[in-house]
PDB file of all heavy atoms in Angstrom:
ATOM      1  N   GLY W  10      -0.286 -42.795 -14.560  1.00 98.00           N
ATOM      2  CA  GLY W  10      -1.155 -43.814 -15.117  1.00 98.00           C
ATOM      3  C   GLY W  10      -0.394 -45.011 -15.655  1.00 98.00           C
ATOM      4  O   GLY W  10       0.838 -45.096 -15.536  1.00 98.00           O
ATOM      5  N   SER W  11      -1.141 -45.934 -16.267  1.00 98.00           N
ATOM      6  CA  SER W  11      -0.568 -47.183 -16.767  1.00 98.00           C
ATOM      7  C   SER W  11      -1.036 -47.460 -18.188  1.00 98.00           C
ATOM      8  O   SER W  11      -2.118 -47.033 -18.599  1.00 98.00           O
ATOM      9  CB  SER W  11      -0.979 -48.358 -15.876  1.00 98.00           C
ATOM     10  OG  SER W  11      -0.508 -48.198 -14.557  1.00 98.00           O
ATOM     11  N   LEU W  12      -0.208 -48.174 -18.906  1.00 98.00           N
ATOM     12  CA  LEU W  12      -0.543 -48.705 -20.222  1.00 98.00           C
ATOM     13  C   LEU W  12       0.111 -50.073 -20.359  1.00 98.00           C
ATOM     14  O   LEU W  12       1.161 -50.328 -19.749  1.00 98.00           O
ATOM     15  CB  LEU W  12      -0.033 -47.799 -21.342  1.00 98.00           C
ATOM     16  CG  LEU W  12      -0.777 -46.500 -21.644  1.00 98.00           C
ATOM     17  CD1 LEU W  12       0.008 -45.691 -22.678  1.00 98.00           C
ATOM     18  CD2 LEU W  12      -2.175 -46.768 -22.135  1.00 98.00           C
ATOM     19  N   ARG W  13      -0.486 -50.914 -21.187  1.00 98.00           N
ATOM     20  CA  ARG W  13       0.145 -52.188 -21.528  1.00 98.00           C
ATOM     21  C   ARG W  13       0.292 -52.266 -23.040  1.00 98.00           C
ATOM     22  O   ARG W  13      -0.703 -52.247 -23.770  1.00 98.00           O
ATOM     23  CB  ARG W  13      -0.655 -53.386 -21.034  1.00 98.00           C
ATOM     24  CG  ARG W  13       0.118 -54.688 -21.221  1.00 98.00           C
ATOM     25  CD  ARG W  13      -0.604 -55.898 -20.686  1.00 98.00           C
ATOM     26  NE  ARG W  13      -1.667 -56.377 -21.567  1.00 98.00           N
ATOM     27  CZ  ARG W  13      -2.157 -57.607 -21.569  1.00 98.00           C
ATOM     28  NH1 ARG W  13      -1.668 -58.508 -20.705  1.00 98.00           N
ATOM     29  NH2 ARG W  13      -3.137 -57.944 -22.374  1.00 98.00           N
ATOM     30  N   LEU W  14       1.521 -52.344 -23.472  1.00 98.00           N
ATOM     31  CA  LEU W  14       1.814 -52.506 -24.896  1.00 98.00           C
ATOM     32  C   LEU W  14       1.859 -53.991 -25.242  1.00 98.00           C
ATOM     33  O   LEU W  14       2.318 -54.809 -24.453  1.00 98.00           O
ATOM     34  CB  LEU W  14       3.141 -51.853 -25.260  1.00 98.00           C
ATOM     35  CG  LEU W  14       3.303 -50.372 -24.896  1.00 98.00           C
ATOM     36  CD1 LEU W  14       4.650 -49.863 -25.422  1.00 98.00           C
ATOM     37  CD2 LEU W  14       2.158 -49.546 -25.417  1.00 98.00           C
ATOM     38  N   SER W  15       1.406 -54.298 -26.444  1.00 98.00           N
ATOM     39  CA  SER W  15       1.463 -55.669 -26.944  1.00 98.00           C
ATOM     40  C   SER W  15       2.219 -55.691 -28.267  1.00 98.00           C
ATOM     41  O   SER W  15       2.175 -54.723 -29.024  1.00 98.00           O
ATOM     42  CB  SER W  15       0.054 -56.226 -27.167  1.00 98.00           C
ATOM     43  OG  SER W  15      -0.702 -56.236 -25.983  1.00 98.00           O
ATOM     44  N   CYS W  16       2.865 -56.810 -28.527  1.00 98.00           N
ATOM     45  CA  CYS W  16       3.562 -57.000 -29.791  1.00 98.00           C
ATOM     46  C   CYS W  16       3.261 -58.409 -30.276  1.00 98.00           C
ATOM     47  O   CYS W  16       3.724 -59.387 -29.684  1.00 98.00           O
ATOM     48  CB  CYS W  16       5.057 -56.800 -29.624  1.00 98.00           C
ATOM     49  SG  CYS W  16       6.026 -57.207 -31.089  1.00 98.00           S
ATOM     50  N   ALA W  17       2.476 -58.506 -31.326  1.00 96.00           N
ATOM     51  CA  ALA W  17       2.109 -59.796 -31.890  1.00 96.00           C
ATOM     52  C   ALA W  17       3.131 -60.208 -32.935  1.00 96.00           C
ATOM     53  O   ALA W  17       3.477 -59.423 -33.821  1.00 96.00           O
ATOM     54  CB  ALA W  17       0.720 -59.713 -32.502  1.00 96.00           C
ATOM     55  N   VAL W  18       3.586 -61.448 -32.836  1.00 95.00           N
ATOM     56  CA  VAL W  18       4.628 -61.976 -33.713  1.00 95.00           C
ATOM     57  C   VAL W  18       4.016 -62.991 -34.672  1.00 95.00           C
ATOM     58  O   VAL W  18       3.307 -63.907 -34.244  1.00 95.00           O
ATOM     59  CB  VAL W  18       5.738 -62.635 -32.893  1.00 95.00           C
ATOM     60  CG1 VAL W  18       6.834 -63.172 -33.811  1.00 95.00           C
ATOM     61  CG2 VAL W  18       6.325 -61.645 -31.896  1.00 95.00           C
ATOM     62  N   SER W  19       4.314 -62.849 -35.958  1.00 91.00           N
ATOM     63  CA  SER W  19       3.789 -63.785 -36.951  1.00 91.00           C
ATOM     64  C   SER W  19       4.786 -63.948 -38.091  1.00 91.00           C
ATOM     65  O   SER W  19       5.754 -63.197 -38.200  1.00 91.00           O
ATOM     66  CB  SER W  19       2.448 -63.280 -37.501  1.00 91.00           C
ATOM     67  OG  SER W  19       2.627 -62.051 -38.176  1.00 91.00           O
ATOM     68  N   GLY W  20       4.522 -64.963 -38.933  1.00 82.00           N
ATOM     69  CA  GLY W  20       5.336 -65.159 -40.116  1.00 82.00           C
ATOM     70  C   GLY W  20       6.681 -65.796 -39.870  1.00 82.00           C
ATOM     71  O   GLY W  20       7.574 -65.709 -40.703  1.00 82.00           O
ATOM     72  N   ALA W  21       6.827 -66.460 -38.732  1.00 71.00           N
ATOM     73  CA  ALA W  21       8.108 -67.089 -38.403  1.00 71.00           C
ATOM     74  C   ALA W  21       8.207 -68.436 -39.113  1.00 71.00           C
ATOM     75  O   ALA W  21       8.013 -69.472 -38.506  1.00 71.00           O
ATOM     76  CB  ALA W  21       8.223 -67.262 -36.897  1.00 71.00           C
ATOM     77  N   SER W  22       8.537 -68.409 -40.383  1.00 75.00           N
ATOM     78  CA  SER W  22       8.581 -69.625 -41.180  1.00 75.00           C
ATOM     79  C   SER W  22       9.592 -70.607 -40.615  1.00 75.00           C
ATOM     80  O   SER W  22      10.784 -70.329 -40.538  1.00 75.00           O
ATOM     81  CB  SER W  22       8.933 -69.266 -42.631  1.00 75.00           C
ATOM     82  OG  SER W  22       9.050 -70.423 -43.415  1.00 75.00           O
ATOM     83  N   GLY W  23       9.117 -71.786 -40.239  1.00 75.00           N
ATOM     84  CA  GLY W  23      10.004 -72.811 -39.732  1.00 75.00           C
ATOM     85  C   GLY W  23      10.493 -72.584 -38.322  1.00 75.00           C
ATOM     86  O   GLY W  23      11.277 -73.373 -37.802  1.00 75.00           O
ATOM     87  N   ARG W  24      10.058 -71.532 -37.699  1.00 81.00           N
ATOM     88  CA  ARG W  24      10.494 -71.218 -36.346  1.00 81.00           C
ATOM     89  C   ARG W  24       9.277 -70.939 -35.475  1.00 81.00           C
ATOM     90  O   ARG W  24       8.233 -70.526 -35.957  1.00 81.00           O
ATOM     91  CB  ARG W  24      11.409 -69.986 -36.336  1.00 81.00           C
ATOM     92  CG  ARG W  24      12.636 -70.108 -37.220  1.00 81.00           C
ATOM     93  CD  ARG W  24      13.389 -68.796 -37.246  1.00 81.00           C
ATOM     94  NE  ARG W  24      14.047 -68.548 -35.969  1.00 81.00           N
ATOM     95  CZ  ARG W  24      15.338 -68.745 -35.763  1.00 81.00           C
ATOM     96  NH1 ARG W  24      16.103 -69.195 -36.732  1.00 81.00           N
ATOM     97  NH2 ARG W  24      15.881 -68.474 -34.583  1.00 81.00           N
ATOM     98  N   THR W  25       9.452 -71.144 -34.191  1.00 87.00           N
ATOM     99  CA  THR W  25       8.380 -70.838 -33.251  1.00 87.00           C
ATOM    100  C   THR W  25       8.682 -69.527 -32.538  1.00 87.00           C
ATOM    101  O   THR W  25       9.805 -69.018 -32.575  1.00 87.00           O
ATOM    102  CB  THR W  25       8.226 -71.956 -32.212  1.00 87.00           C
ATOM    103  OG1 THR W  25       9.425 -71.999 -31.411  1.00 87.00           O
ATOM    104  CG2 THR W  25       8.031 -73.305 -32.883  1.00 87.00           C
ATOM    105  N   PHE W  26       7.667 -69.007 -31.863  1.00 91.00           N
ATOM    106  CA  PHE W  26       7.820 -67.767 -31.106  1.00 91.00           C
ATOM    107  C   PHE W  26       8.938 -67.904 -30.086  1.00 91.00           C
ATOM    108  O   PHE W  26       9.681 -66.961 -29.810  1.00 91.00           O
ATOM    109  CB  PHE W  26       6.489 -67.435 -30.433  1.00 91.00           C
ATOM    110  CG  PHE W  26       6.521 -66.228 -29.555  1.00 91.00           C
ATOM    111  CD1 PHE W  26       6.890 -64.992 -30.046  1.00 91.00           C
ATOM    112  CD2 PHE W  26       6.161 -66.323 -28.219  1.00 91.00           C
ATOM    113  CE1 PHE W  26       6.908 -63.872 -29.234  1.00 91.00           C
ATOM    114  CE2 PHE W  26       6.176 -65.220 -27.389  1.00 91.00           C
ATOM    115  CZ  PHE W  26       6.549 -63.978 -27.900  1.00 91.00           C
ATOM    116  N   SER W  27       9.082 -69.086 -29.512  1.00 90.00           N
ATOM    117  CA  SER W  27      10.111 -69.318 -28.503  1.00 90.00           C
ATOM    118  C   SER W  27      11.522 -69.287 -29.075  1.00 90.00           C
ATOM    119  O   SER W  27      12.492 -69.338 -28.326  1.00 90.00           O
ATOM    120  CB  SER W  27       9.873 -70.663 -27.815  1.00 90.00           C
ATOM    121  OG  SER W  27       8.631 -70.670 -27.144  1.00 90.00           O
ATOM    122  N   SER W  28      11.644 -69.209 -30.383  1.00 91.00           N
ATOM    123  CA  SER W  28      12.959 -69.133 -31.018  1.00 91.00           C
ATOM    124  C   SER W  28      13.565 -67.739 -30.939  1.00 91.00           C
ATOM    125  O   SER W  28      14.737 -67.567 -31.279  1.00 91.00           O
ATOM    126  CB  SER W  28      12.851 -69.521 -32.495  1.00 91.00           C
ATOM    127  OG  SER W  28      12.371 -70.835 -32.659  1.00 91.00           O
ATOM    128  N   TYR W  29      12.770 -66.761 -30.521  1.00 94.00           N
ATOM    129  CA  TYR W  29      13.206 -65.371 -30.569  1.00 94.00           C
ATOM    130  C   TYR W  29      13.325 -64.760 -29.181  1.00 94.00           C
ATOM    131  O   TYR W  29      12.407 -64.871 -28.363  1.00 94.00           O
ATOM    132  CB  TYR W  29      12.220 -64.528 -31.379  1.00 94.00           C
ATOM    133  CG  TYR W  29      12.057 -64.987 -32.808  1.00 94.00           C
ATOM    134  CD1 TYR W  29      11.085 -65.917 -33.148  1.00 94.00           C
ATOM    135  CD2 TYR W  29      12.890 -64.496 -33.800  1.00 94.00           C
ATOM    136  CE1 TYR W  29      10.954 -66.345 -34.456  1.00 94.00           C
ATOM    137  CE2 TYR W  29      12.756 -64.920 -35.109  1.00 94.00           C
ATOM    138  CZ  TYR W  29      11.783 -65.848 -35.428  1.00 94.00           C
ATOM    139  OH  TYR W  29      11.652 -66.261 -36.718  1.00 94.00           O
ATOM    140  N   ALA W  30      14.444 -64.090 -28.939  1.00 97.00           N
ATOM    141  CA  ALA W  30      14.500 -63.153 -27.833  1.00 97.00           C
ATOM    142  C   ALA W  30      13.780 -61.887 -28.299  1.00 97.00           C
ATOM    143  O   ALA W  30      13.854 -61.528 -29.476  1.00 97.00           O
ATOM    144  CB  ALA W  30      15.937 -62.831 -27.459  1.00 97.00           C
ATOM    145  N   MET W  31      13.104 -61.230 -27.389  1.00 97.00           N
ATOM    146  CA  MET W  31      12.289 -60.071 -27.754  1.00 97.00           C
ATOM    147  C   MET W  31      12.721 -58.848 -26.949  1.00 97.00           C
ATOM    148  O   MET W  31      13.182 -58.959 -25.806  1.00 97.00           O
ATOM    149  CB  MET W  31      10.816 -60.364 -27.478  1.00 97.00           C
ATOM    150  CG  MET W  31      10.265 -61.581 -28.219  1.00 97.00           C
ATOM    151  SD  MET W  31      10.292 -61.394 -29.999  1.00 97.00           S
ATOM    152  CE  MET W  31       9.218 -59.985 -30.223  1.00 97.00           C
ATOM    153  N   GLY W  32      12.529 -57.694 -27.549  1.00 98.00           N
ATOM    154  CA  GLY W  32      12.897 -56.469 -26.851  1.00 98.00           C
ATOM    155  C   GLY W  32      11.958 -55.325 -27.168  1.00 98.00           C
ATOM    156  O   GLY W  32      11.232 -55.355 -28.168  1.00 98.00           O
ATOM    157  N   TRP W  33      11.982 -54.344 -26.281  1.00 98.00           N
ATOM    158  CA  TRP W  33      11.262 -53.092 -26.489  1.00 98.00           C
ATOM    159  C   TRP W  33      12.277 -51.948 -26.478  1.00 98.00           C
ATOM    160  O   TRP W  33      13.164 -51.899 -25.607  1.00 98.00           O
ATOM    161  CB  TRP W  33      10.224 -52.851 -25.398  1.00 98.00           C
ATOM    162  CG  TRP W  33       8.992 -53.697 -25.504  1.00 98.00           C
ATOM    163  CD1 TRP W  33       8.742 -54.858 -24.846  1.00 98.00           C
ATOM    164  CD2 TRP W  33       7.848 -53.444 -26.310  1.00 98.00           C
ATOM    165  NE1 TRP W  33       7.517 -55.352 -25.194  1.00 98.00           N
ATOM    166  CE2 TRP W  33       6.935 -54.493 -26.098  1.00 98.00           C
ATOM    167  CE3 TRP W  33       7.498 -52.416 -27.206  1.00 98.00           C
ATOM    168  CZ2 TRP W  33       5.697 -54.564 -26.739  1.00 98.00           C
ATOM    169  CZ3 TRP W  33       6.265 -52.479 -27.836  1.00 98.00           C
ATOM    170  CH2 TRP W  33       5.384 -53.545 -27.601  1.00 98.00           C
ATOM    171  N   PHE W  34      12.131 -51.051 -27.420  1.00 98.00           N
ATOM    172  CA  PHE W  34      12.944 -49.844 -27.517  1.00 98.00           C
ATOM    173  C   PHE W  34      11.995 -48.653 -27.647  1.00 98.00           C
ATOM    174  O   PHE W  34      10.815 -48.827 -27.944  1.00 98.00           O
ATOM    175  CB  PHE W  34      13.866 -49.904 -28.732  1.00 98.00           C
ATOM    176  CG  PHE W  34      14.944 -50.942 -28.619  1.00 98.00           C
ATOM    177  CD1 PHE W  34      14.674 -52.284 -28.839  1.00 98.00           C
ATOM    178  CD2 PHE W  34      16.246 -50.575 -28.298  1.00 98.00           C
ATOM    179  CE1 PHE W  34      15.670 -53.244 -28.722  1.00 98.00           C
ATOM    180  CE2 PHE W  34      17.254 -51.532 -28.188  1.00 98.00           C
ATOM    181  CZ  PHE W  34      16.956 -52.864 -28.410  1.00 98.00           C
ATOM    182  N   ARG W  35      12.520 -47.456 -27.451  1.00 98.00           N
ATOM    183  CA  ARG W  35      11.688 -46.270 -27.642  1.00 98.00           C
ATOM    184  C   ARG W  35      12.520 -45.128 -28.210  1.00 98.00           C
ATOM    185  O   ARG W  35      13.735 -45.083 -28.023  1.00 98.00           O
ATOM    186  CB  ARG W  35      11.044 -45.848 -26.321  1.00 98.00           C
ATOM    187  CG  ARG W  35      12.017 -45.340 -25.270  1.00 98.00           C
ATOM    188  CD  ARG W  35      11.276 -45.092 -23.948  1.00 98.00           C
ATOM    189  NE  ARG W  35      12.173 -44.570 -22.923  1.00 98.00           N
ATOM    190  CZ  ARG W  35      11.815 -44.369 -21.655  1.00 98.00           C
ATOM    191  NH1 ARG W  35      10.577 -44.655 -21.263  1.00 98.00           N
ATOM    192  NH2 ARG W  35      12.686 -43.879 -20.792  1.00 98.00           N
ATOM    193  N   GLN W  36      11.831 -44.227 -28.881  1.00 98.00           N
ATOM    194  CA  GLN W  36      12.487 -43.057 -29.449  1.00 98.00           C
ATOM    195  C   GLN W  36      11.629 -41.839 -29.197  1.00 98.00           C
ATOM    196  O   GLN W  36      10.493 -41.754 -29.697  1.00 98.00           O
ATOM    197  CB  GLN W  36      12.731 -43.235 -30.942  1.00 98.00           C
ATOM    198  CG  GLN W  36      13.539 -42.106 -31.554  1.00 98.00           C
ATOM    199  CD  GLN W  36      14.022 -42.433 -32.952  1.00 98.00           C
ATOM    200  OE1 GLN W  36      13.480 -43.310 -33.628  1.00 98.00           O
ATOM    201  NE2 GLN W  36      15.071 -41.756 -33.396  1.00 98.00           N
ATOM    202  N   ALA W  37      12.161 -40.921 -28.430  1.00 97.00           N
ATOM    203  CA  ALA W  37      11.481 -39.664 -28.152  1.00 97.00           C
ATOM    204  C   ALA W  37      11.847 -38.648 -29.235  1.00 97.00           C
ATOM    205  O   ALA W  37      12.897 -38.778 -29.881  1.00 97.00           O
ATOM    206  CB  ALA W  37      11.881 -39.146 -26.777  1.00 97.00           C
ATOM    207  N   PRO W  38      11.028 -37.637 -29.440  1.00 92.00           N
ATOM    208  CA  PRO W  38      11.320 -36.629 -30.467  1.00 92.00           C
ATOM    209  C   PRO W  38      12.683 -35.992 -30.253  1.00 92.00           C
ATOM    210  O   PRO W  38      13.013 -35.567 -29.139  1.00 92.00           O
ATOM    211  CB  PRO W  38      10.194 -35.607 -30.278  1.00 92.00           C
ATOM    212  CG  PRO W  38       9.083 -36.378 -29.686  1.00 92.00           C
ATOM    213  CD  PRO W  38       9.729 -37.390 -28.792  1.00 92.00           C
ATOM    214  N   GLY W  39      13.474 -35.967 -31.312  1.00 95.00           N
ATOM    215  CA  GLY W  39      14.778 -35.333 -31.240  1.00 95.00           C
ATOM    216  C   GLY W  39      15.846 -36.151 -30.550  1.00 95.00           C
ATOM    217  O   GLY W  39      16.971 -35.676 -30.371  1.00 95.00           O
ATOM    218  N   LYS W  40      15.514 -37.384 -30.184  1.00 97.00           N
ATOM    219  CA  LYS W  40      16.479 -38.228 -29.492  1.00 97.00           C
ATOM    220  C   LYS W  40      16.702 -39.525 -30.257  1.00 97.00           C
ATOM    221  O   LYS W  40      15.899 -39.907 -31.105  1.00 97.00           O
ATOM    222  CB  LYS W  40      16.003 -38.540 -28.070  1.00 97.00           C
ATOM    223  CG  LYS W  40      15.921 -37.314 -27.173  1.00 97.00           C
ATOM    224  CD  LYS W  40      15.588 -37.712 -25.753  1.00 97.00           C
ATOM    225  CE  LYS W  40      15.589 -36.508 -24.824  1.00 97.00           C
ATOM    226  NZ  LYS W  40      15.301 -36.895 -23.413  1.00 97.00           N
ATOM    227  N   GLU W  41      17.772 -40.223 -29.904  1.00 97.00           N
ATOM    228  CA  GLU W  41      18.048 -41.506 -30.528  1.00 97.00           C
ATOM    229  C   GLU W  41      17.180 -42.601 -29.886  1.00 97.00           C
ATOM    230  O   GLU W  41      16.751 -42.486 -28.745  1.00 97.00           O
ATOM    231  CB  GLU W  41      19.526 -41.855 -30.386  1.00 97.00           C
ATOM    232  CG  GLU W  41      20.445 -40.922 -31.141  1.00 97.00           C
ATOM    233  CD  GLU W  41      21.894 -41.388 -31.100  1.00 97.00           C
ATOM    234  OE1 GLU W  41      22.180 -42.333 -30.343  1.00 97.00           O
ATOM    235  OE2 GLU W  41      22.722 -40.791 -31.811  1.00 97.00           O
ATOM    236  N   ARG W  42      16.982 -43.658 -30.652  1.00 98.00           N
ATOM    237  CA  ARG W  42      16.238 -44.786 -30.116  1.00 98.00           C
ATOM    238  C   ARG W  42      17.056 -45.448 -29.003  1.00 98.00           C
ATOM    239  O   ARG W  42      18.277 -45.611 -29.130  1.00 98.00           O
ATOM    240  CB  ARG W  42      15.934 -45.784 -31.238  1.00 98.00           C
ATOM    241  CG  ARG W  42      14.980 -46.880 -30.837  1.00 98.00           C
ATOM    242  CD  ARG W  42      14.339 -47.531 -32.045  1.00 98.00           C
ATOM    243  NE  ARG W  42      15.305 -48.080 -32.968  1.00 98.00           N
ATOM    244  CZ  ARG W  42      14.991 -48.636 -34.143  1.00 98.00           C
ATOM    245  NH1 ARG W  42      13.727 -48.692 -34.511  1.00 98.00           N
ATOM    246  NH2 ARG W  42      15.930 -49.125 -34.915  1.00 98.00           N
ATOM    247  N   GLU W  43      16.375 -45.828 -27.924  1.00 98.00           N
ATOM    248  CA  GLU W  43      17.073 -46.389 -26.779  1.00 98.00           C
ATOM    249  C   GLU W  43      16.407 -47.677 -26.305  1.00 98.00           C
ATOM    250  O   GLU W  43      15.214 -47.904 -26.502  1.00 98.00           O
ATOM    251  CB  GLU W  43      17.102 -45.378 -25.625  1.00 98.00           C
ATOM    252  CG  GLU W  43      15.742 -45.011 -25.072  1.00 98.00           C
ATOM    253  CD  GLU W  43      15.828 -44.084 -23.872  1.00 98.00           C
ATOM    254  OE1 GLU W  43      16.927 -43.640 -23.514  1.00 98.00           O
ATOM    255  OE2 GLU W  43      14.758 -43.801 -23.276  1.00 98.00           O
ATOM    256  N   PHE W  44      17.203 -48.484 -25.642  1.00 98.00           N
ATOM    257  CA  PHE W  44      16.741 -49.745 -25.076  1.00 98.00           C
ATOM    258  C   PHE W  44      15.808 -49.489 -23.909  1.00 98.00           C
ATOM    259  O   PHE W  44      16.047 -48.594 -23.092  1.00 98.00           O
ATOM    260  CB  PHE W  44      17.950 -50.557 -24.628  1.00 98.00           C
ATOM    261  CG  PHE W  44      17.615 -51.773 -23.802  1.00 98.00           C
ATOM    262  CD1 PHE W  44      17.149 -52.926 -24.421  1.00 98.00           C
ATOM    263  CD2 PHE W  44      17.765 -51.765 -22.435  1.00 98.00           C
ATOM    264  CE1 PHE W  44      16.850 -54.054 -23.667  1.00 98.00           C
ATOM    265  CE2 PHE W  44      17.469 -52.884 -21.668  1.00 98.00           C
ATOM    266  CZ  PHE W  44      17.010 -54.026 -22.292  1.00 98.00           C
ATOM    267  N   VAL W  45      14.738 -50.294 -23.801  1.00 98.00           N
ATOM    268  CA  VAL W  45      13.816 -50.211 -22.671  1.00 98.00           C
ATOM    269  C   VAL W  45      13.856 -51.507 -21.867  1.00 98.00           C
ATOM    270  O   VAL W  45      14.098 -51.494 -20.661  1.00 98.00           O
ATOM    271  CB  VAL W  45      12.373 -49.933 -23.147  1.00 98.00           C
ATOM    272  CG1 VAL W  45      11.402 -49.967 -21.968  1.00 98.00           C
ATOM    273  CG2 VAL W  45      12.293 -48.608 -23.876  1.00 98.00           C
ATOM    274  N   ALA W  46      13.604 -52.633 -22.537  1.00 98.00           N
ATOM    275  CA  ALA W  46      13.555 -53.914 -21.842  1.00 98.00           C
ATOM    276  C   ALA W  46      13.692 -55.039 -22.851  1.00 98.00           C
ATOM    277  O   ALA W  46      13.441 -54.840 -24.041  1.00 98.00           O
ATOM    278  CB  ALA W  46      12.247 -54.067 -21.066  1.00 98.00           C
ATOM    279  N   ALA W  47      14.074 -56.211 -22.370  1.00 98.00           N
ATOM    280  CA  ALA W  47      14.179 -57.380 -23.228  1.00 98.00           C
ATOM    281  C   ALA W  47      13.833 -58.623 -22.418  1.00 98.00           C
ATOM    282  O   ALA W  47      13.864 -58.611 -21.181  1.00 98.00           O
ATOM    283  CB  ALA W  47      15.582 -57.498 -23.829  1.00 98.00           C
ATOM    284  N   VAL W  48      13.505 -59.689 -23.141  1.00 97.00           N
ATOM    285  CA  VAL W  48      13.224 -60.966 -22.497  1.00 97.00           C
ATOM    286  C   VAL W  48      13.869 -62.062 -23.331  1.00 97.00           C
ATOM    287  O   VAL W  48      13.793 -62.059 -24.561  1.00 97.00           O
ATOM    288  CB  VAL W  48      11.696 -61.185 -22.328  1.00 97.00           C
ATOM    289  CG1 VAL W  48      10.967 -61.128 -23.652  1.00 97.00           C
ATOM    290  CG2 VAL W  48      11.422 -62.481 -21.593  1.00 97.00           C
TER     291      VAL W  48
END
């Protein structure tokens, strides 16, 4: 199946959304957090 995750960004005082590189990470039970993707 499929899912689409969203991440809403707010509170960037003096900065715009375009000022940030963004990433997704994940952590499975009993495992360390790992990189998934970035933009």
Side-chain angles (χ1 to χ4, degrees):
S11 298
L12 284 173
R13 188 177 78 158
L14 305 184
S15 300
C16 173
V18 181
S19 63
S22 177
R24 303 174 71 102
T25 65
F26 177 58
S27 298
S28 300
Y29 300 90
M31 302 297 298
W33 285 97
F34 292 78
R35 67 186 181 186
Q36 186 168 20
K40 295 186 176 182
E41 294 186 351
R42 189 160 57 184
E43 63 176 5
F44 170 78
V45 175
V48 58

